[in-house]
Amino acid sequence: MATDYTVEWSRSESEREGTPLAVLLHGYGANEQDLLGLVPGLPQEFTYASVRAPVSMGFGAYTWFELDVERLAYSSSAARQAVEDLWEWIDSVRGNHSSVTLIGFSMGMAMATSLLRTRPEAFAAVVGLSGFAVDPNRGEELEGYFDDDALAAQKIPFFWGRDQEDPIIPGEQIDYTHRWANQTVKLTKVLYAGAGHGVVPQEIGHINEFLTATVLKGQR
């Protein structure tokens, strides 16, 4: 049975046909409203779809899969299932659009990079904000799941924005993500002092420029 996602769209259904799609994936403990504040500062040619994670934590908070926030520990099988479920939804809407781009914050970046690594040919670009990429060596369910060789051959444009002093994401996760990104994607990495575990206005401007250059320029 497919997961029934709650999605906040920036356009009505009649206005979406043929537009580039950007899927917004929020972080742990947030919901589909969390990243909508980015949309006014991003290219308006896109249709934006902000997806609510399926696991309720109560009080309007959701997660993509259960997470031990102290250690950033999680079940590899749960993480893989979350990716598989989200693929079903993406496949159900992607035919209406000229391309698909992912924008993920924190845990949403882990989801975005995992989607990218399973089917890199499906995406025009990916934006990761204050997050990390999943290390497949952390669980047997993820061994052989990602196709990083195919991703390296594609060199998909990837924007990674973060604060060097981010208090949430552990250094070992950052180190792994840095190694992974340098080996597999066409990386644009920008550090934002004072952002903490968040997104600053300058960063939104840089994402706008990135999406315009990497996605829209090729479609005009």
Side-chain angles (χ1 to χ4, degrees):
M1 181 177 173
T3 300
D4 186 16
Y5 291 99
T6 296
V7 183
E8 189 79 27
W9 293 88
S10 67
R11 296 177 188 265
S12 65
E13 189 171 358
S14 63
E15 298 175 321
R16 299 173 199 163
E17 184 73 32
T19 60
L21 175 65
V23 180
L24 305 177
L25 304 173
H26 66 75
Y28 177 83
N31 59 44
E32 74 280 7
Q33 301 295 320
D34 190 57
L35 297 181
L36 291 177
L38 302 179
V39 172
L42 300 180
Q44 295 307 295
E45 292 92 333
F46 282 83
T47 292
Y48 295 91
S50 189
V51 183
R52 178 194 292 175
V55 182
S56 175
M57 301 167 62
F59 304 102
Y62 295 84
T63 181
W64 297 100
F65 46 86
E66 297 294 343
L67 181 71
D68 180 338
V69 292
E70 295 294 325
R71 301 180 294 120
L72 238 60
Y74 47 84
S75 159
S76 60
S77 60
R80 177 168 176 163
Q81 189 60 55
V83 172
E84 292 292 318
D85 290 344
L86 192 51
W87 259 124
E88 287 192 39
W89 178 81
I90 291 173
D91 281 338
S92 75
V93 300
R94 65 194 307 267
N96 294 329
H97 299 276
S98 58
S99 66
V100 181
T101 294
L102 303 173
I103 302 175
F105 174 79
S106 194
M107 191 189 211
M109 176 176 163
M111 289 294 293
T113 51
S114 295
L115 290 162
L116 174 66
R117 297 165 80 180
T118 54
R119 285 164 56 182
E121 74 287 350
F123 301 108
V126 174
V127 174
L129 308 172
S130 302
F132 61 97
V134 170
D135 184 349
N137 293 321
R138 292 182 62 158
E140 61 183 17
E141 292 290 335
L142 295 172
E143 290 179 8
Y145 184 52
F146 298 139
D147 194 349
D148 283 342
D149 288 340
L151 178 57
Q154 295 269 347
K155 286 295 181 185
I156 303 298
F158 185 90
F159 180 97
W160 184 18
R162 56 179 292 268
D163 184 350
Q164 191 82 29
E165 305 301 324
D166 187 324
I168 301 298
I169 309 299
E172 66 184 60
Q173 299 276 14
I174 296 299
D175 291 343
Y176 170 78
T177 303
H178 195 263
R179 290 194 303 272
W180 165 79
N182 279 330
Q183 294 168 1
T184 57
V185 296
K186 186 177 180 182
L187 178 63
T188 299
K189 185 183 74 170
V190 187
L191 298 175
Y192 299 94
H197 192 64
V199 180
V200 294
Q202 183 187 26
E203 189 171 5
I204 298 172
H206 288 159
I207 299 166
N208 186 318
E209 294 170 2
F210 171 81
L211 294 177
T212 299
T214 59
V215 181
L216 297 182
K217 198 170 181 180
Q219 296 186 12
R220 286 172 177 164

